[in-house]
Amino acid sequence: MNFARSKFLAVLLACACSTSAYAHFPWLVPQPEQGEPTSLQIYFAEDASPDDPKLLERLKGLQVWRMEAGKQPVELPTTATAEELSVSIPKGSAADAVYFCKHDLGVMTRGGETFRLMYGAKTGPTAGKSAWQKVETAKELKLDVVPSLVNGKLQVRVLFEGKPVAKAEVKTLGPGANAFDGATDENGTVTIETDAAGICSLRAKHVDATGGEVDGKKFDSTRYYTTVALPMTKPQVVPPAVVVESKIEPLLPAVTSFGAAISGGQLYTYGGNMGTAHSYSNKEQGRNLMIANVKGGAWTTGPEGPALQGLAMVAHGGKIYRIGGFTALNAAGEENKLESQASVAVYDPATKNWIELPSLPEPRSSGDAAVIGDTIYVAGGWNLSGGRGSEKWHKTAWKLDLSKSNLQWEALPEPPFQRRALSLAAHGGKLYVIGGMLMDGGPTARTDIFDPASGKWSEGPALIGEEKLTGFGNSSFATGGKLYVSTINGDLQRLSEDGQQWEVVAKMPTARFFHRMLPLDDKHLLVVGGGSMTEGKFEDVEIIAVP
């Protein structure tokens, strides 16, 4: 009797151990959870928390790598004791790197199925940091998991062999995100509500039905599991923007795709589209400089110039500079004949006249400009030379040093992008090229950065937003030492202190695109013009207090 009972208990224990092993996964968990981690703890557990140290025996031979954007993975040595398995992290590198491991548990049989079991694990900086997108681990992990924050929600993308995989199983356990047990959509993504700060335990599974043989053992399929120990911050509640009453009268006619700048207490606009969406004719394009005192009052009409839209305008030294744009040469109802312009002119309030300056090296519209020091920078856009299909997307960017007596446009190093309907902003001595429309691939939330000191381009964090059009027709400017972007869905986004991510800090009173957002002072932003797909063009000038 005792022997039979002992045999039964032994079988029960063996089954329990098998179930435990099957339900456990490797996790790379940063220590401490908040702040810059100094090490990673490696667990073999159901979630990103410690379990029986004896289970770490199953991870014998585990290798851990650290990887930065554009660089090869670097293996990190593991330290093993009787109680733990850990990895030290190089100081000051946590925000820019992702850590991962992969482990082959070999061939096993469960429930009548014989399969190979492959594990992967990842961790890195706080959710929302750009390293999660920049560090491409898909070549290292067959089943890769890429987390991001979109409008305060956790978006998880699952890739198999570098391609999005539909119907991959995804599970999460808090803190940091709500409990979730579901599958990816046709784009390989799921979106999960976030709830608190802490390490979110995220796991994905995909079964590859391809059979094979390892060490003489045949298997019918391979089960891939990848875990992510994801540090989460407390979800952000986005407040409405604080609106300050504007005493500036409405801008009439209302326009989109125009130039605007503030200088000497005056708000200036030029050109723009006055017609309906996608309607282009010479009569529907602005050709006057419009001027209003920022303290309030009516608009006055300044000197006339060429009919333009899709132009850039900047202020420097008390003067206003008008750059590029396109002119519709056709009348209303005629076939479009749109030609980008290379003209550059400066308006001097003292003389109330436009003065022509050296033209751009090539015609350009739908780009933008910004000023750093005494230099105007121009990037993005295309060259229109007739009807549909005539456009040539620019691969160039230029600068004009206004401090020189002999003004001449100089080429920047070739930008790593071709896009239009974007915005440019100067911040921290660098040029930010934000959002827009790609030559291939449609709208983008991408940010590129040019450093005049080094003469190099780099990629910055993408704007936040589920909508594909998030970065299309945005407007950006820096004030009070912070860089802000106003997007099509009414989000006011601000670049974080470390420059690693955008943060949605307020909801604008009016969601606009192809508008202009300008700094009234260090504490206020002024928004003018633009429109929306549902409400048309906007006449009112809005002033908001920066958060």
PDB file of all heavy atoms in Angstrom, residues 24-26 58 178 194 223 231-232 235 254 269 277 337 340 366 378 421 494 510:
ATOM      1  N   HIS A  24       6.879  27.977 -17.677  1.00  0.00           N
ATOM      2  CA  HIS A  24       7.910  28.930 -17.284  1.00  0.00           C
ATOM      3  C   HIS A  24       8.682  29.400 -18.508  1.00  0.00           C
ATOM      4  O   HIS A  24       8.844  28.653 -19.480  1.00  0.00           O
ATOM      5  CB  HIS A  24       8.863  28.298 -16.267  1.00  0.00           C
ATOM      6  CG  HIS A  24       8.273  28.243 -14.892  1.00  0.00           C
ATOM      7  ND1 HIS A  24       7.088  27.608 -14.627  1.00  0.00           N
ATOM      8  CD2 HIS A  24       8.728  28.739 -13.712  1.00  0.00           C
ATOM      9  CE1 HIS A  24       6.815  27.719 -13.336  1.00  0.00           C
ATOM     10  NE2 HIS A  24       7.795  28.405 -12.761  1.00  0.00           N
ATOM     11  N   PHE A  25       9.176  30.638 -18.418  1.00  0.00           N
ATOM     12  CA  PHE A  25       9.858  31.270 -19.543  1.00  0.00           C
ATOM     13  C   PHE A  25      11.018  32.104 -19.011  1.00  0.00           C
ATOM     14  O   PHE A  25      10.988  32.569 -17.877  1.00  0.00           O
ATOM     15  CB  PHE A  25       8.885  32.176 -20.313  1.00  0.00           C
ATOM     16  CG  PHE A  25       7.576  31.522 -20.642  1.00  0.00           C
ATOM     17  CD1 PHE A  25       6.506  31.584 -19.757  1.00  0.00           C
ATOM     18  CD2 PHE A  25       7.427  30.819 -21.822  1.00  0.00           C
ATOM     19  CE1 PHE A  25       5.304  30.973 -20.046  1.00  0.00           C
ATOM     20  CE2 PHE A  25       6.225  30.195 -22.124  1.00  0.00           C
ATOM     21  CZ  PHE A  25       5.159  30.269 -21.234  1.00  0.00           C
ATOM     22  N   PRO A  26      12.033  32.325 -19.830  1.00  0.00           N
ATOM     23  CA  PRO A  26      13.126  33.210 -19.388  1.00  0.00           C
ATOM     24  C   PRO A  26      12.684  34.668 -19.439  1.00  0.00           C
ATOM     25  O   PRO A  26      11.947  35.077 -20.346  1.00  0.00           O
ATOM     26  CB  PRO A  26      14.235  32.929 -20.405  1.00  0.00           C
ATOM     27  CG  PRO A  26      13.543  32.416 -21.614  1.00  0.00           C
ATOM     28  CD  PRO A  26      12.304  31.718 -21.151  1.00  0.00           C
ATOM     29  N   ARG A  58      17.693  25.218 -16.032  1.00  0.00           N
ATOM     30  CA  ARG A  58      17.175  25.012 -17.387  1.00  0.00           C
ATOM     31  C   ARG A  58      17.729  26.046 -18.374  1.00  0.00           C
ATOM     32  O   ARG A  58      17.562  25.901 -19.574  1.00  0.00           O
ATOM     33  CB  ARG A  58      15.653  25.045 -17.383  1.00  0.00           C
ATOM     34  CG  ARG A  58      15.040  23.932 -16.553  1.00  0.00           C
ATOM     35  CD  ARG A  58      13.521  23.965 -16.638  1.00  0.00           C
ATOM     36  NE  ARG A  58      12.957  22.854 -15.891  1.00  0.00           N
ATOM     37  CZ  ARG A  58      12.758  21.629 -16.381  1.00  0.00           C
ATOM     38  NH1 ARG A  58      13.110  21.392 -17.641  1.00  0.00           N
ATOM     39  NH2 ARG A  58      12.237  20.671 -15.651  1.00  0.00           N
ATOM     40  N   ASN A 178      -2.922  46.483 -18.391  1.00  0.00           N
ATOM     41  CA  ASN A 178      -4.019  45.599 -18.023  1.00  0.00           C
ATOM     42  C   ASN A 178      -3.712  44.164 -18.438  1.00  0.00           C
ATOM     43  O   ASN A 178      -2.988  43.935 -19.411  1.00  0.00           O
ATOM     44  CB  ASN A 178      -5.315  46.049 -18.686  1.00  0.00           C
ATOM     45  CG  ASN A 178      -5.836  47.356 -18.125  1.00  0.00           C
ATOM     46  OD1 ASN A 178      -5.260  47.909 -17.191  1.00  0.00           O
ATOM     47  ND2 ASN A 178      -6.912  47.864 -18.693  1.00  0.00           N
ATOM     48  N   THR A 194      -3.119  50.721 -20.555  1.00  0.00           N
ATOM     49  CA  THR A 194      -2.120  50.794 -19.489  1.00  0.00           C
ATOM     50  C   THR A 194      -2.779  51.291 -18.217  1.00  0.00           C
ATOM     51  O   THR A 194      -3.787  51.996 -18.260  1.00  0.00           O
ATOM     52  CB  THR A 194      -0.964  51.724 -19.878  1.00  0.00           C
ATOM     53  OG1 THR A 194      -1.497  53.013 -20.190  1.00  0.00           O
ATOM     54  CG2 THR A 194      -0.237  51.202 -21.107  1.00  0.00           C
ATOM     55  N   ARG A 223       7.721  25.653 -31.464  1.00  0.00           N
ATOM     56  CA  ARG A 223       6.972  26.636 -30.696  1.00  0.00           C
ATOM     57  C   ARG A 223       7.939  27.732 -30.244  1.00  0.00           C
ATOM     58  O   ARG A 223       8.924  27.448 -29.555  1.00  0.00           O
ATOM     59  CB  ARG A 223       6.297  25.983 -29.487  1.00  0.00           C
ATOM     60  CG  ARG A 223       5.267  24.940 -29.860  1.00  0.00           C
ATOM     61  CD  ARG A 223       4.577  24.379 -28.631  1.00  0.00           C
ATOM     62  NE  ARG A 223       3.640  23.319 -28.993  1.00  0.00           N
ATOM     63  CZ  ARG A 223       2.877  22.663 -28.129  1.00  0.00           C
ATOM     64  NH1 ARG A 223       2.951  22.964 -26.822  1.00  0.00           N
ATOM     65  NH2 ARG A 223       2.056  21.712 -28.536  1.00  0.00           N
ATOM     66  N   PRO A 231       9.474  48.093 -18.631  1.00  0.00           N
ATOM     67  CA  PRO A 231       9.226  49.134 -17.616  1.00  0.00           C
ATOM     68  C   PRO A 231       8.170  50.120 -18.113  1.00  0.00           C
ATOM     69  O   PRO A 231       8.268  50.651 -19.216  1.00  0.00           O
ATOM     70  CB  PRO A 231      10.597  49.810 -17.452  1.00  0.00           C
ATOM     71  CG  PRO A 231      11.583  48.833 -18.004  1.00  0.00           C
ATOM     72  CD  PRO A 231      10.865  48.123 -19.098  1.00  0.00           C
ATOM     73  N   MET A 232       7.161  50.355 -17.291  1.00  0.00           N
ATOM     74  CA  MET A 232       6.065  51.251 -17.642  1.00  0.00           C
ATOM     75  C   MET A 232       5.993  52.388 -16.624  1.00  0.00           C
ATOM     76  O   MET A 232       6.209  52.185 -15.434  1.00  0.00           O
ATOM     77  CB  MET A 232       4.728  50.507 -17.642  1.00  0.00           C
ATOM     78  CG  MET A 232       4.662  49.330 -18.599  1.00  0.00           C
ATOM     79  SD  MET A 232       4.455  49.824 -20.326  1.00  0.00           S
ATOM     80  CE  MET A 232       2.815  50.534 -20.274  1.00  0.00           C
ATOM     81  N   PRO A 235       0.268  55.939 -16.538  1.00  0.00           N
ATOM     82  CA  PRO A 235      -0.396  56.512 -17.726  1.00  0.00           C
ATOM     83  C   PRO A 235      -0.670  57.995 -17.565  1.00  0.00           C
ATOM     84  O   PRO A 235      -1.035  58.469 -16.495  1.00  0.00           O
ATOM     85  CB  PRO A 235      -1.708  55.716 -17.798  1.00  0.00           C
ATOM     86  CG  PRO A 235      -1.438  54.459 -17.054  1.00  0.00           C
ATOM     87  CD  PRO A 235      -0.478  54.810 -15.974  1.00  0.00           C
ATOM     88  N   ALA A 254      -9.700  82.677 -45.034  1.00  0.00           N
ATOM     89  CA  ALA A 254      -8.967  81.615 -44.343  1.00  0.00           C
ATOM     90  C   ALA A 254      -8.074  80.879 -45.339  1.00  0.00           C
ATOM     91  O   ALA A 254      -8.431  80.714 -46.509  1.00  0.00           O
ATOM     92  CB  ALA A 254      -9.949  80.646 -43.693  1.00  0.00           C
ATOM     93  N   THR A 269       1.572  86.758 -42.254  1.00  0.00           N
ATOM     94  CA  THR A 269       1.287  85.575 -43.059  1.00  0.00           C
ATOM     95  C   THR A 269       1.427  85.953 -44.528  1.00  0.00           C
ATOM     96  O   THR A 269       1.293  87.121 -44.905  1.00  0.00           O
ATOM     97  CB  THR A 269      -0.146  85.031 -42.821  1.00  0.00           C
ATOM     98  OG1 THR A 269      -1.099  85.935 -43.371  1.00  0.00           O
ATOM     99  CG2 THR A 269      -0.423  84.828 -41.338  1.00  0.00           C
ATOM    100  N   ALA A 277     -10.550  72.087 -50.766  1.00  0.00           N
ATOM    101  CA  ALA A 277      -9.488  71.072 -50.734  1.00  0.00           C
ATOM    102  C   ALA A 277      -9.213  70.528 -52.131  1.00  0.00           C
ATOM    103  O   ALA A 277     -10.141  70.233 -52.897  1.00  0.00           O
ATOM    104  CB  ALA A 277      -9.893  69.944 -49.801  1.00  0.00           C
ATOM    105  N   LYS A 337      -1.805  73.319 -63.673  1.00  0.00           N
ATOM    106  CA  LYS A 337      -0.432  73.548 -64.107  1.00  0.00           C
ATOM    107  C   LYS A 337       0.275  74.224 -62.941  1.00  0.00           C
ATOM    108  O   LYS A 337       0.204  75.445 -62.767  1.00  0.00           O
ATOM    109  CB  LYS A 337      -0.379  74.418 -65.363  1.00  0.00           C
ATOM    110  CG  LYS A 337       1.028  74.529 -65.952  1.00  0.00           C
ATOM    111  CD  LYS A 337       1.053  75.327 -67.246  1.00  0.00           C
ATOM    112  CE  LYS A 337       2.478  75.379 -67.813  1.00  0.00           C
ATOM    113  NZ  LYS A 337       2.541  76.188 -69.064  1.00  0.00           N
ATOM    114  N   SER A 340       6.627  74.788 -58.992  1.00  0.00           N
ATOM    115  CA  SER A 340       7.371  75.199 -57.806  1.00  0.00           C
ATOM    116  C   SER A 340       8.310  76.338 -58.161  1.00  0.00           C
ATOM    117  O   SER A 340       8.796  76.436 -59.296  1.00  0.00           O
ATOM    118  CB  SER A 340       8.172  74.022 -57.240  1.00  0.00           C
ATOM    119  OG  SER A 340       7.305  72.985 -56.820  1.00  0.00           O
ATOM    120  N   SER A 366       6.262  72.754 -50.605  1.00  0.00           N
ATOM    121  CA  SER A 366       5.867  71.730 -49.629  1.00  0.00           C
ATOM    122  C   SER A 366       7.027  71.307 -48.736  1.00  0.00           C
ATOM    123  O   SER A 366       7.011  70.235 -48.152  1.00  0.00           O
ATOM    124  CB  SER A 366       5.269  70.503 -50.324  1.00  0.00           C
ATOM    125  OG  SER A 366       4.527  69.720 -49.424  1.00  0.00           O
ATOM    126  N   VAL A 378      16.818  75.001 -45.028  1.00  0.00           N
ATOM    127  CA  VAL A 378      15.670  74.577 -45.832  1.00  0.00           C
ATOM    128  C   VAL A 378      15.807  73.091 -46.120  1.00  0.00           C
ATOM    129  O   VAL A 378      16.884  72.618 -46.515  1.00  0.00           O
ATOM    130  CB  VAL A 378      15.598  75.362 -47.157  1.00  0.00           C
ATOM    131  CG1 VAL A 378      14.481  74.826 -48.039  1.00  0.00           C
ATOM    132  CG2 VAL A 378      15.405  76.853 -46.893  1.00  0.00           C
ATOM    133  N   ALA A 421       5.326  68.099 -46.909  1.00  0.00           N
ATOM    134  CA  ALA A 421       4.238  68.339 -45.943  1.00  0.00           C
ATOM    135  C   ALA A 421       4.708  68.083 -44.524  1.00  0.00           C
ATOM    136  O   ALA A 421       4.001  67.516 -43.705  1.00  0.00           O
ATOM    137  CB  ALA A 421       3.017  67.470 -46.276  1.00  0.00           C
ATOM    138  N   ARG A 494       5.383  67.419 -27.014  1.00  0.00           N
ATOM    139  CA  ARG A 494       6.611  68.088 -26.575  1.00  0.00           C
ATOM    140  C   ARG A 494       7.735  67.065 -26.521  1.00  0.00           C
ATOM    141  O   ARG A 494       7.539  65.943 -26.057  1.00  0.00           O
ATOM    142  CB  ARG A 494       6.398  68.717 -25.199  1.00  0.00           C
ATOM    143  CG  ARG A 494       7.627  69.469 -24.660  1.00  0.00           C
ATOM    144  CD  ARG A 494       7.272  70.154 -23.349  1.00  0.00           C
ATOM    145  NE  ARG A 494       6.945  69.184 -22.307  1.00  0.00           N
ATOM    146  CZ  ARG A 494       6.252  69.474 -21.200  1.00  0.00           C
ATOM    147  NH1 ARG A 494       5.793  70.697 -21.013  1.00  0.00           N
ATOM    148  NH2 ARG A 494       5.995  68.544 -20.307  1.00  0.00           N
ATOM    149  N   THR A 510      -8.495  73.463 -31.210  1.00  0.00           N
ATOM    150  CA  THR A 510      -8.933  73.146 -32.569  1.00  0.00           C
ATOM    151  C   THR A 510      -7.886  72.253 -33.228  1.00  0.00           C
ATOM    152  O   THR A 510      -6.713  72.604 -33.274  1.00  0.00           O
ATOM    153  CB  THR A 510      -9.089  74.428 -33.416  1.00  0.00           C
ATOM    154  OG1 THR A 510      -9.945  75.347 -32.728  1.00  0.00           O
ATOM    155  CG2 THR A 510      -9.665  74.121 -34.777  1.00  0.00           C
TER     156      THR A 510
END
